[in-house]
Structure formats: structure tokens, C-alpha cells
Amino acid sequence: MSATSTLAMTHLVPLAAKDLDENKVTPGLLGFVVFALIGVAVWLLMKSMNKHMNKVDFEEEPQPGEARATASPKGAPSPKAKGERTA
């Protein structure tokens, strides 16, 4: 910057500062609209996530050493797998 532009800027800064009251600065309508849109977006994402989580059908597989609670008693016939033939 040249010396004249620096001198001009130093004279203009105090003029702009007098118009700006730091106690009355607010985000305004734009800030409220942006905040409201973010809130609505979060609500919609939570609603969608809840819907997708309810669709999950999760059954935990037992550990290798544990017996199943639904195992058939000894001597009872076990259900045949699909496509399995009996001899």
C-alpha cells in the first residue's frame, strides 16, 4: 500500500467506528434463519436415523463355548436344513 492510501484509511476508520455501537450488535434475521435451518436439519436427521435404526434386526450370535437357550433336548429330532434329504 502506498503512503497516501494508508493515510486515507487511518482517517476513515474512526468514522466507521463512531457509527458502530458494540452494545447493539446482534446476529439479526440472517443469524436466526441460519440457526433455525440447522435446528430443523438436525431434527430431520435424527428422525431419519431413528427410522433406519428401527429397521435393524440384530441377533447376537452366541460365543463358541456357550450353549444355546433354544437348543433341542437330547433325543429330539433336529430341524432339517433347507434342501437336506433324509436317508
Side-chain angles (χ1 to χ4, degrees):
M1 278 170 54
S2 65
T4 55
S5 62
T6 306
L7 184 61
M9 292 299 282
T10 57
H11 288 296
L12 292 176
V13 170
L15 295 175
K18 289 180 184 176
D19 295 336
L20 181 65
D21 186 10
E22 292 182 15
N23 295 327
K24 292 185 180 181
V25 176
T26 62
L29 181 62
L30 180 64
F32 174 75
V33 169
V34 169
F35 186 76
L37 287 175
I38 290 172
V40 169
V42 168
W43 179 74
L44 289 172
L45 285 170
M46 293 293 288
K47 188 175 178 181
S48 175
M49 183 187 69
N50 192 23
K51 184 172 71 171
H52 283 86
M53 292 299 286
N54 285 335
K55 288 182 181 180
V56 173
D57 185 27
F58 177 75
E59 292 183 21
E60 189 173 344
E61 294 182 14
Q63 296 295 327
E66 296 178 9
R68 283 190 164 179
T70 59
S72 58
K74 284 187 176 183
S78 62
K80 303 290 181 201
K82 200 176 213 182
E84 188 177 323
R85 294 185 180 186
T86 57

